[in-house]
Amino acid sequence: MTTKQAVPTVTLNDGKTIPQLGFGVFQIEPENTLEATLAALEVGYRHLDTAEMYGNEKEVGQAVEQSGIPRSEIFVTSKLNNPFHAPEDALEQGKKSAELLGGYTDLFLIHWPIASVIDFVPTWKSLEELYHQGVSRSIGTSNFHAHHLNKLRDQTTITPAVNQIEVHPYLAQEELRAYGREHGIATEAWSPIAQGLVLDDPTIVRIAGAVGKSPAQVTLRWHIQRGDIIFPKSVTRSRIEENFDIFDFELSGEDMTDITTLDKGQRTGPDPDKFDYVPA
Ligand code: NDP
């Protein structure tokens, strides 16, 4: 059984609110995106996380429209792809994403800093413009380290509302999350179950057995109790439901610590300082 009203919200530094649990669509083929996203909306998710890079913004927009749920009740995030960091391109892409996603984005992010390729400060200024124009209601960063965020703080006006980074029990990101708390930047945790990697972990399996939930539910609950924003991905209806059903139990302080201490600095994706991929 899922409880549709139970998802908490997080208030961002610009006053907007975002559901703490959403649905991610990375690696969902465009032809499967409509069905998966409609399933998520039917289950009760009201927050969708897509990106130009995923090639499925259009289908996410179609799902929002076909769901019959008012656009204003769904929080939709998209991200600026790496080839479009030139300021004019960023403005154009921000508008394109907005058009595909119901006239505006709730949140638009710089997907990767790609600092070795192009300075992201002018790119961020374009996002500031998109914010002022109402094209995106909030703006933020993704895969930014503290040193990238410090540069924005020194050279730009708007503090990112969120920083979306890889976080899961094997990469707990305590320092960068603390930086976010200190500077009013909400942390969004991508790959919250490490694409399934943590689900066989003996500690997580033990806690799951003790609380009568699945390893995925325990891991997602750990994120929720830490205060991070998450959007697990699945194309499987039963898992879409399972991942939503995490608000009827609580992990003890001891369980929380046991999971956090699994941290071994293990990334499933690239280190943002070493990632400079720009497709032709
Ligand atoms: P997740 O950690 O959400 O894991 C998804 C994988 O786990 C899929 O293979 C899925 O399988 C499986 N799965 C989902 N739920 C369960 C479950 N309950 N039990 C067992 N297996 C399960 O990985 P993602 O990388 O997709 O991350 C989530 C979202 O984060 C993305 O969709 C995207 O929105 C965002 N993201 C952002 C990035 C960035 O650079 N900003 C990078 C990566 C992700 P199946 O679908 O077959 O059911």
Side-chain angles (χ1 to χ4, degrees):
M1 265 295 283
T2 53
T3 320
K4 295 202 176 190
Q5 287 82 20
V7 178
T9 54
V10 170
T11 301
L12 304 175
N13 64 16
D14 57 14
K16 312 288 191 332
T17 55
I18 179 171
Q20 200 184 354
L21 174 66
F23 182 68
V25 299
F26 176 45
Q27 290 175 328
I28 304 186
E29 293 301 328
E31 58 269 28
N32 301 327
T33 302
L34 177 63
E35 189 187 339
T37 308
L38 278 172
L41 291 169
E42 205 180 290
V43 166
Y45 294 79
R46 292 293 180 269
H47 164 188
L48 305 171
D49 186 272
T50 183
E52 205 276 342
M53 196 184 279
Y54 306 164
N56 55 18
E57 287 174 298
K58 187 174 92 192
E59 291 75 13
V60 169
Q62 285 170 347
V64 170
E65 203 180 322
Q66 288 184 27
S67 70
I69 300 163
R71 173 67 184 84
S72 58
E73 290 179 19
I74 306 174
F75 191 103
V76 187
T77 299
S78 193
K79 314 183 190 88
L80 179 72
N81 201 352
N82 295 350
F84 306 115
H85 275 223
E88 280 309 309
D89 295 346
L91 276 178
E92 196 183 313
Q93 288 296 316
K95 288 175 187 163
K96 266 192 193 166
S97 291
E99 270 166 38
L100 292 171
L101 294 164
Y104 60 92
T105 44
D106 291 279
L107 178 60
F108 194 60
L109 310 178
I110 297 183
H111 204 148
W112 290 89
I114 54 166
S116 62
V117 179
I118 182 170
D119 182 3
F120 53 76
V121 168
T123 316
W124 180 252
K125 290 184 178 166
S126 288
L127 265 70
E128 292 185 334
E129 206 170 318
L130 291 167
Y131 173 78
H132 289 306
Q133 291 174 2
V135 175
S136 188
R137 303 211 163 160
S138 297
I139 52 173
T141 53
S142 178
N143 299 302
F144 274 43
H145 285 312
H147 69 86
H148 299 121
L149 294 167
N150 284 337
K151 188 167 170 183
L152 283 188
R153 195 186 56 202
D154 292 345
Q155 298 183 35
T156 68
T157 317
I158 300 179
T159 304
V162 311
N163 188 30
Q164 182 177 128
I165 54 173
E166 181 177 354
V167 188
H168 45 70
Y170 291 165
L171 185 70
Q173 293 271 28
E174 294 291 66
E175 270 181 43
L176 195 45
R177 293 174 63 258
Y179 178 101
R181 281 196 298 281
E182 190 185 332
H183 295 279
I185 302 169
T187 295
E188 295 195 326
W190 63 252
S191 293
I193 58 171
Q195 301 201 339
L197 189 70
V198 299
L199 302 184
D200 294 328
D201 184 276
T203 300
I204 293 175
V205 170
R206 170 180 57 77
I207 295 170
V211 299
K213 286 282 183 175
S214 71
Q217 288 171 321
V218 163
T219 307
L220 297 172
R221 181 73 207 178
W222 170 79
H223 286 283
I224 293 289
Q225 288 184 213
R226 293 206 321 156
D228 291 351
I229 298 159
I230 49 172
F231 23 84
K233 168 264 176 186
S234 179
V235 291
T236 315
R237 172 80 190 211
S238 59
R239 289 172 171 173
I240 294 173
E241 289 177 0
E242 179 185 331
N243 296 345
F244 195 74
D245 185 18
I246 56 171
F247 298 105
D248 63 349
F249 74 110
E250 207 159 318
L251 297 173
S252 68
E254 199 181 326
D255 291 341
M256 290 294 294
T257 306
D258 285 352
I259 298 173
T260 306
T261 49
L262 297 174
D263 182 21
K264 46 186 168 180
Q266 184 178 347
R267 291 180 184 277
T268 63
D271 179 336
D273 270 337
K274 298 185 182 128
F275 186 71
D276 56 8
Y277 174 67
V278 181

